[in-house]
Amino acid sequence: IEQPTFPKITEMCVKMIRRVNDEEGIKKLVNETFQKLWFTPTPHHDKEAMTRKILNITDVVAACRDTGYDWFEQLLQNLLKSEEDASYKPVKKACTQLVDNLVEHILKYEESLSDSDNKGVNSGRLVACITTLFLFSKIRPQLMVKHAMTMQPYLTTKCSTQNDFMVICNVAKILELVVPLMEHPSETFLATIEEDLMKLIIKYGMTVVQHCVSCLGAVVNKVTQNYKFVWACFNRYYGALSKLKSQHQEDPNSTILTANKPALLRSLFTVGALCRHFDFDQEDFKGNSKVNIKDKVLELLMYFTKHSDEEVQTKAIIGLGFAFIQHPSLMFEQEVKTLYNSILSDKNCSVNLKIQVLKNLQTYLQEEDTRMQQADRDWKKVAKQEDLKEMGDISSGMSSSIMQLYLKQVLEAFFHTQSSVRHFALNVIALTLNQGLIHPVQCVPYLIAMGTDPEPSMRNKADQQLVEIDKKYAGFIHMKAVAGMKMSYQVQQAINTCPKDPVRGFRHDESSSALCSHLYSMIRGNRQHRRAFLISLLNLFDDTAKTEVNMLLYIADNLACFPYQTQEEPLFIMHHIDITLSVSGSNLLQSFKESMVKDKKKERKPSSDEETESDSNSGSGSESEEEASKPRRLRKRVDSDSDSDEENYINSVMKCLPENSAPLIEFANVSQGILLLLMLKQHLKNLCGFSDSKIQKYSPSESAKVYDKAINRKTGVHFHPKQTLDFLRSDMANSKITEEVKRSIVKQYLDFKLLMEHLDPDEEEEDGEVSASTNARNKAITSLLGGGSPKNNAAETEDDESDGEDRGGGTSGVRRR
């Protein structure tokens, strides 16, 4: 306002106006700013100010060409609504001024265009002006009624550039809204519009045909009732389709068909578009004929969906989508259900067809939404005279049944590798939820999964839906949180472009935030829900849960990177890691032991159920019973760092290994869960800077306030479980086992065994014993996690207990490496 010539004004306006749907305070500011800037009446004599205002508005509209114009509509609605009951209506007056001046500007541009050679710049401005007029018409079509006659000649614009097409489409959209409101329009004006539209329908491409048929629908159905004119056009294309069908049935490889392909594509699209806006089964069209037109059209279009050419299939499906808007009940037909569901669920089906089916459902739902809003407005007009609200629920009942039919396949489309398929699937689900057509609980896990999508716009949309569901139905998100995490892993697997690389659970950017951080931030506020969620995730690491290793890595990544705020959160996790370790670790060792062969005699009974039970626990089972009974000796050996003794011990275990290497693989596999927990505990400890004694003293039953302090996060601490990554990259679970691999598994088994013996603090009575035990434990951890020397371990005090174990220099070592 102060500096109208400042070059960045457009950019500033674009950024501000996009916040029009923000929280209340910001919304109010945006509305007030633009009311001052654009929607305050300008004095009639100040032509310069008016021109500046129009240039500014059209610049902003032009700048938002790719991102959509919802903000403009929202802004205009907000401002007009705020003064509905006021006696003085400045916004309405300003809108009238703007529309009148925009029309003047367009006429001036026309003159200058005919004189100038620099058409590109000006035609861009012309498009922006006409688009702005369309946006005004959409909210207040009455403003444009007096200008309808001025707009009509633009339908005859010669089309050579993209801008020319946009002019025609926008003019058609304006006339569609405005002509039905005109009082006694002249016959010649209406006849000219009908003819112009028909010429455009016959001559130009899909977008123009779509808008022109839509405009023709409004003019014929609401004003002229010139049904014969439309019926003739419909028969022309319908007849062409019937003829092409019979030719194709006679000889599918006929050259005539190839030559006629453009005509076939145009006919499929146009027949569908006409069926969307006209109900040809009315007597006004077909007269006394008993033929059921909608079924005939369905049969014709369905025939071409089985065509060998994908382009023909796509156009036939577009045509079907149009027909279903006029006759939604056709979507219940068995052949339609089979077609839609097979396209959506078939992995090998073309991406274009999948997207088109999803677009059809999206368009249908959008149309239903518009219809219901219109019915609602009409109802409000007559509501005062009526006693009961006879709600138009029949149509919403229909759309609800339709969405129940296709819901599962649409949700499964979230797992598609192509982001465009996921994008349209999410749009359909968002529309379905906003209209309340299905129970939201079944969508929650899928939305959680979509919240991990690499594209921010999709993430935000999915997260927004979850927030809405959480407002209305408390507890639903928590109830489906673990299922959602598992599903998000499937989405990440589908998106993963390099199958050899393990799927990770954090974003590969500066933030390194967890993929499911939004989910955690929704749950963390409720202590009970948060704890239940964390315990459920940690339970997946239990050896009996049989979770695949890459999923465990994905979940460990998330647990390592969640946005924890208070000390209680990581301490609670570490406490439960200790419990899980003591149980799973013992099971792991036991089942490995049981799979070993006694004293070199090959009478081994590798109890198969144990192998499965321990998931992989038998890996280094060679220590015979007698060795197993000498834990102390082992401890001293390792403590004394006598490598040769350790070598001998490994050799003696190797001798007892069963011939079948399955138990070894099983052990290596299951042990990954325990290794990840060790790493996770170590990582959280380093990240939050906790001492062993602090971890030791923590008790989940203490009052919440004790651990409510904010976390002091260290920077540069990254979660990098090297052993598990190596295990997954080398695909050990499916590869052949060499002697070297066997040795490393046996060594891992012995380290585990040592670790488990030192987990329990009860053994450590005398002071001297403590440090030896701690050292043994640290050594085992360091060895297990493939790290260097333990960090800050040796100096810890007695209360080291099981934390030492996880903490061990292990992780820090890995990180250093």
Side-chain angles (χ1 to χ4, degrees):
I1 294 171
E2 298 294 325
Q3 300 184 19
T5 53
F6 184 61
K8 295 262 183 189
I9 285 183
T10 306
E11 197 183 322
M12 287 154 66
C13 288
V14 170
K15 288 202 165 131
M16 280 192 290
I17 208 163
R18 284 189 187 149
R19 305 290 295 273
V20 74
N21 281 326
D22 225 308
E23 60 203 56
E24 282 309 312
I26 294 176
K27 197 170 168 176
K28 189 164 175 274
L29 280 172
V30 172
N31 288 341
E32 285 169 3
T33 305
F34 284 99
Q35 182 160 358
K36 267 188 206 157
L37 202 58
W38 292 350
F39 298 107
T40 305
T42 312
H44 284 292
H45 58 81
D46 195 350
K47 286 283 179 201
E48 194 187 327
M50 195 68 227
T51 307
R52 260 203 317 269
K53 199 188 278 192
I54 281 179
L55 290 177
N56 181 219
I57 294 177
T58 49
D59 279 340
V60 172
V61 168
C64 293
R65 185 167 155 179
D66 300 327
T67 53
Y69 305 111
D70 301 350
W71 48 266
F72 189 89
E73 294 166 32
Q74 192 65 52
L75 178 71
L76 206 49
Q77 268 169 335
N78 292 350
L79 293 172
L80 288 165
K81 199 173 177 184
S82 65
E83 61 174 33
E84 257 173 11
D85 305 322
S87 51
Y88 173 56
K89 301 188 172 179
V91 176
K92 192 175 173 191
K93 189 177 175 191
C95 288
T96 312
Q97 275 188 349
L98 285 167
V99 168
D100 296 349
N101 278 280
L102 275 164
V103 174
E104 257 179 60
H105 258 74
I106 289 173
L107 296 172
K108 278 187 198 157
Y109 279 131
E110 279 298 286
E111 289 167 23
S112 67
L113 276 180
S114 52
D115 304 337
S116 89
D117 305 326
N118 186 12
K119 292 197 176 183
V121 178
N122 283 327
S123 66
R125 170 75 67 192
L126 179 67
V127 173
C129 285
I130 291 184
T131 307
T132 312
L133 280 177
F134 162 62
L135 294 171
F136 275 113
S137 314
K138 208 170 167 185
I139 306 299
R140 279 284 185 279
Q142 297 83 354
L143 296 170
M144 279 297 291
V145 168
K146 61 180 180 187
H147 301 296
M149 308 277 281
T150 317
M151 300 314 292
Q152 177 266 321
Y154 288 94
L155 288 175
T156 55
T157 307
K158 285 196 171 58
C159 288
S160 52
T161 66
Q162 181 65 34
N163 282 340
D164 298 336
F165 285 114
M166 289 188 72
V167 167
I168 285 186
C169 291
N170 279 313
V171 170
K173 289 194 280 190
I174 291 171
L175 292 173
E176 178 184 343
L177 293 163
V178 174
V179 172
L181 300 177
M182 294 172 73
E183 287 180 24
H184 317 300
S186 77
E187 293 294 321
T188 46
F189 167 67
L190 294 172
T192 316
I193 286 188
E194 286 179 347
E195 280 167 32
D196 290 344
L197 289 170
M198 193 57 77
K199 283 176 193 160
L200 292 167
I201 290 168
I202 291 166
K203 189 172 177 187
Y204 291 116
M206 285 201 304
T207 318
V208 175
V209 171
Q210 211 170 328
H211 292 305
C212 291
V213 171
S214 186
C215 183
L216 191 65
V219 173
V220 172
N221 289 329
K222 295 177 185 172
V223 187
T224 63
Q225 269 85 46
N226 187 357
Y227 297 121
K228 286 197 173 66
F229 183 64
V230 179
W231 179 242
C233 173
F234 172 73
N235 272 320
R236 170 181 175 170
Y237 287 110
Y238 178 80
L241 267 188
S242 303
K243 191 174 165 194
L244 288 164
K245 177 188 168 183
S246 46
Q247 282 177 352
H248 186 262
Q249 280 171 322
E250 283 166 28
D251 175 13
N253 303 319
S254 148
T255 49
I256 306 172
L257 283 175
T258 320
N260 284 337
K261 185 178 162 186
L264 171 60
L265 296 176
R266 174 174 287 278
S267 302
L268 286 167
F269 186 84
T270 312
V271 165
L274 287 165
C275 285
R276 173 178 179 172
H277 296 284
F278 300 97
D279 182 358
F280 291 110
D281 281 315
Q282 288 176 355
E283 238 173 74
D284 298 325
F285 288 106
K286 63 176 185 180
N288 300 324
S289 163
K290 292 280 178 280
V291 180
N292 188 328
I293 303 286
K294 71 169 192 275
D295 290 347
K296 287 277 179 201
V297 169
L298 178 68
E299 187 191 329
L300 257 184
L301 293 172
M302 285 302 294
Y303 178 79
F304 286 105
T305 59
K306 299 175 184 67
H307 199 279
S308 55
D309 183 332
E310 189 188 305
E311 209 179 339
V312 175
Q313 284 180 300
T314 309
K315 282 287 185 297
I317 290 172
I318 293 175
L320 280 173
F322 286 154
F324 295 157
I325 290 171
Q326 179 72 256
H327 304 288
S329 58
L330 293 176
M331 280 196 258
F332 295 115
E333 295 289 328
Q334 191 52 52
E335 51 181 341
V336 175
K337 286 196 287 195
T338 311
L339 173 76
Y340 270 24
N341 284 335
S342 62
I343 287 176
L344 288 175
S345 52
D346 181 5
K347 292 268 189 299
N348 306 318
C349 187
S350 123
V351 171
N352 291 335
L353 295 181
K354 279 186 200 290
I355 289 177
Q356 195 49 57
V357 168
L358 290 166
K359 274 185 183 170
N360 281 2
L361 290 169
Q362 178 183 325
T363 314
Y364 165 69
L365 290 168
Q366 285 165 337
E367 285 290 310
E368 276 304 301
D369 199 31
T370 314
R371 238 180 258 180
M372 282 154 77
Q373 284 176 7
Q374 186 57 48
D376 215 32
R377 283 196 288 273
D378 296 347
W379 168 258
K380 278 178 185 157
K381 288 175 194 166
V382 295
K384 294 184 176 74
Q385 292 96 51
E386 304 284 343
D387 294 339
L388 279 171
K389 187 162 186 190
E390 299 161 5
M391 285 291 287
D393 264 350
I394 298 156
S395 64
S396 72
M398 170 84 80
S399 39
S400 178
S401 312
I402 288 169
M403 283 321 297
Q404 299 289 356
L405 276 183
Y406 301 110
L407 181 68
K408 186 170 187 303
Q409 282 73 15
V410 173
L411 287 169
E412 292 297 322
F414 281 3
F415 303 126
H416 200 276
T417 47
Q418 293 278 339
S419 72
S420 46
V421 175
R422 299 196 303 274
H423 170 77
F424 285 107
L426 184 59
N427 284 354
V428 172
I429 294 300
L431 282 164
T432 310
L433 287 169
N434 293 340
Q435 292 177 34
L437 302 179
I438 52 168
H439 196 295
V441 76
Q442 52 203 326
C443 298
V444 170
Y446 291 92
L447 290 169
I448 291 171
M450 278 307 277
T452 65
D453 197 279
E455 294 191 23
S457 59
M458 303 228 266
R459 283 205 296 271
N460 297 341
K461 191 164 192 171
D463 290 348
Q464 190 55 46
Q465 292 297 325
L466 285 174
V467 171
E468 292 299 319
I469 292 173
D470 196 41
K471 273 184 205 162
K472 290 181 198 159
Y473 311 92
F476 272 13
I477 310 294
H478 158 248
M479 188 161 80
K480 294 284 181 188
V482 179
M485 286 275 291
K486 289 179 177 174
M487 230 172 241
S488 68
Y489 169 67
Q490 288 172 276
V491 168
Q492 292 305 313
Q493 266 185 316
I495 295 168
N496 189 13
T497 44
C498 177
K500 284 188 177 170
D501 275 349
V503 173
R504 301 303 302 269
F506 56 83
R507 296 218 163 82
H508 297 280
D509 54 20
E510 317 76 65
S511 68
S512 291
S513 56
L515 290 180
C516 295
S517 57
H518 181 259
L519 170 68
Y520 182 77
S521 59
M522 287 180 76
I523 291 177
R524 71 165 294 283
N526 179 322
R527 188 177 186 214
Q528 193 184 345
H529 286 178
R530 177 181 76 225
R531 287 183 160 192
F533 172 58
L534 292 172
I535 287 178
S536 306
L537 291 183
L538 290 171
N539 285 346
L540 296 173
F541 290 84
D542 192 296
D543 56 318
T544 53
K546 311 239 184 298
T547 316
E548 61 169 297
V549 176
N550 197 349
M551 189 192 275
L552 290 179
L553 171 67
Y554 175 80
I555 288 169
D557 280 340
N558 273 289
L559 285 166
C561 303
F562 274 155
Y564 304 116
Q565 291 183 11
T566 62
Q567 293 185 355
E568 204 273 339
E569 299 163 55
L571 283 170
F572 180 79
I573 293 175
M574 290 150 101
H575 177 79
H576 277 275
I577 286 179
D578 287 348
I579 296 170
T580 310
L581 282 172
S582 60
V583 177
S584 290
S586 316
N587 292 350
L588 187 62
L589 296 180
Q590 185 55 33
S591 54
F592 187 71
K593 231 178 266 181
E594 285 166 2
S595 74
M596 290 191 310
V597 188
K598 298 202 178 163
D599 290 342
K600 300 190 193 174
K601 288 180 195 156
K602 298 292 178 196
E603 65 204 29
R604 123 187 208 275
K605 296 182 191 155
S607 66
S608 56
D609 36 357
E610 254 123 49
E611 288 168 28
T612 48
E613 165 224 324
S614 67
D615 238 3
S616 70
N617 303 352
S618 16
S620 72
S622 56
E623 3 174 88
S624 58
E625 311 286 296
E626 105 193 62
E627 271 132 342
S629 64
K630 307 179 195 158
R632 290 280 172 180
R633 199 178 81 205
L634 166 63
R635 187 188 306 166
K636 281 175 191 137
R637 262 186 205 170
V638 181
D639 286 355
S640 65
D641 263 341
S642 123
D643 289 341
S644 59
D645 282 3
E646 193 173 348
E647 276 301 307
N648 297 342
Y649 199 73
I650 291 175
N651 291 336
S652 69
V653 175
M654 292 282 285
K655 284 177 196 161
C656 301
L657 288 183
E659 284 168 9
N660 172 8
S661 58
L664 275 177
I665 299 279
E666 188 71 353
F667 173 82
N669 205 16
V670 171
S671 60
Q672 296 307 319
I674 294 183
L675 284 172
L676 280 167
L677 288 181
L678 283 169
M679 279 302 275
L680 176 60
K681 183 170 174 190
Q682 182 62 34
H683 169 79
L684 292 173
K685 186 180 166 195
N686 292 343
L687 181 72
C688 308
F690 292 141
S691 68
D692 284 327
S693 57
K694 175 137 192 150
I695 300 168
Q696 213 45 55
K697 286 172 187 158
Y698 171 78
S699 158
S701 53
E702 279 197 57
S703 81
K705 289 179 184 161
V706 181
Y707 296 105
D708 254 358
K709 293 179 195 147
I711 286 181
N712 213 346
R713 283 171 182 271
K714 304 250 173 80
T715 49
V717 177
H718 299 295
F719 183 65
H720 181 71
K722 182 175 178 304
Q723 289 230 351
T724 305
L725 291 170
D726 291 347
F727 175 84
L728 288 167
R729 285 185 185 128
S730 63
D731 194 20
M732 193 187 282
N734 303 316
S735 52
K736 208 167 161 47
I737 281 230
T738 60
E739 275 303 299
E740 194 182 335
V741 174
K742 277 188 187 176
R743 278 192 89 78
S744 68
I745 294 178
V746 169
K747 174 144 186 358
Q748 197 180 9
Y749 163 73
L750 295 175
D751 286 331
F752 258 129
K753 189 164 177 296
L754 178 65
L755 183 63
M756 294 312 296
E757 285 163 7
H758 292 273
L759 262 186
D760 193 3
D762 299 341
E763 282 184 12
E764 306 167 9
E765 291 144 18
E766 319 144 29
D767 279 356
E769 182 79 349
V770 169
S771 59
S773 169
T774 306
N775 286 340
R777 177 171 59 243
N778 292 340
K779 180 160 186 199
I781 291 168
T782 307
S783 183
L784 276 172
L785 300 183
S789 60
K791 196 189 208 171
N792 76 14
N793 281 0
E796 297 287 0
T797 52
E798 289 98 311
D799 50 66
D800 250 51
E801 192 210 287
S802 71
D803 322 302
E805 128 232 351
D806 341 51
R807 160 200 71 256
T811 35
S812 46
V814 173
R815 208 168 296 107
R816 229 172 279 133
R817 180 187 278 194

